[in-house]
Amino acid sequence: MSHTSGGVRQAQKEQTRQALLDAGLRLLDRQSLSSLGLREVTRTVGVAPAAFYRHFPDMAALGVALVGEALGSLHAVIRDVMSDGLDAERLIDRTVAITAVYVDEHRAHIRFIARERYGGVQPVRAAIAAELGRFTDEVAAGLALQPVSQGWSPDDLRVLAGLYVDHMVLTAAAMMEVPEDDPAARDEVMRAARLRMQIISLGRSHWAEHRA
């Protein structure tokens, strides 16, 4: 087999895999992964059910791949934000703005994560938890570099980072509930998100002396 034909086959294989992911995501817009059938996905793509197994061993594996699509690209963004040396107020503003843009550009992925985070497919729940755990580690590493973190233990910083991460996940889910033609409601979600993060930051400023 020539390198050219091998490359074409690989490209076709990747296209089919992506088509299965895209079809799964569209179908999951109105149902949970546990209720989605393999044949429904392959019928949407126009391939035989047997073709599915050349890309995923089961539907749970497709769900895990969708988790990677939904959250994987955010790690670099978070690391960049945390390494920019912004003060607390600007960091909050930028974090909320990034969350809003990401929701606008990945609504189907965010809806999938919000539904499946506590859904019935254990490998997918575990994959989401692992990605959020990585986010927490990345935020904690960034927080540790800030002067206000002097005297904080690594465990305390990770708990604080987890509060920020959980808050932004909830904010993304809240933004999904806002009609796209209601900018006032969207602004209110963003205002409330900033306020909650400011309250967390205020508590942070007093935590070290409380622990002393």
Side-chain angles (χ1 to χ4, degrees), residues 27 29 53 55 61 67 80 83 86 93 100 104 127 149 162 169 171 181:
L27 293 166
D29 188 60
Y53 295 107
H55 304 277
V67 173
D80 287 345
S83 66
L86 300 175
D93 285 343
D104 288 342
S149 296
V169 171
T171 297
D181 60 351

Side-chain angles (χ1 to χ4, degrees), residues 114-185:
R115 178 184 291 130
E116 299 298 332
R117 186 180 183 187
Y118 303 110
V121 182
Q122 192 280 329
V124 175
R125 293 200 311 272
I128 294 172
E131 291 287 355
L132 296 181
R134 286 178 59 200
F135 290 143
T136 299
D137 290 338
E138 289 156 2
V139 172
L143 294 175
L145 300 176
Q146 298 174 352
V148 70
S149 296
Q150 186 174 357
W152 281 63
S153 72
D155 286 345
D156 286 355
L157 281 174
R158 199 175 190 284
V159 170
L160 176 64
L163 288 175
Y164 284 126
V165 170
D166 283 344
H167 171 63
M168 296 322 299
V169 171
L170 292 173
T171 297
M175 287 180 175
M176 289 293 299
E177 298 302 316
V178 174
E180 296 184 55
D181 60 351
D182 191 347

Side-chain angles (χ1 to χ4, degrees), residues 15-132:
Q15 288 173 358
T16 301
R17 183 181 188 276
Q18 189 60 52
L20 291 167
L21 287 169
D22 293 344
L25 188 63
R26 288 196 303 273
L27 293 166
L28 287 168
D29 188 60
R30 55 180 183 271
Q31 62 184 303
S32 66
L33 183 62
S34 60
S35 68
L36 180 61
L38 180 156
R39 290 180 179 276
E40 190 176 359
V41 175
T42 55
R43 184 167 58 248
T44 300
V45 176
V47 298
F52 180 92
Y53 295 107
R54 290 197 285 271
H55 304 277
F56 305 102
D58 51 32
M59 288 296 295
L62 182 141
V64 169
L66 285 174
V67 173
E69 272 197 349
L71 299 177
S73 64
L74 274 174
H75 291 288
V77 175
I78 288 176
R79 288 193 295 269
D80 287 345
V81 170
M82 296 305 299
S83 66
D84 273 352
L86 300 175
D87 61 41
E89 198 65 29
R90 288 190 298 161
L91 182 60
I92 288 171
D93 285 343
R94 187 170 176 189
T95 301
V96 173
I98 287 172
T99 302
V101 170
Y102 196 80
V103 169
D104 288 342
E105 295 178 350
H106 302 85
R107 295 186 70 84
H109 282 106
I110 296 299
R111 185 177 292 108
F112 166 72
I113 294 296
R115 178 184 291 130
E116 299 298 332
R117 186 180 183 187
Y118 303 110
V121 182
Q122 192 280 329
V124 175
R125 293 200 311 272
I128 294 172
E131 291 287 355
L132 296 181

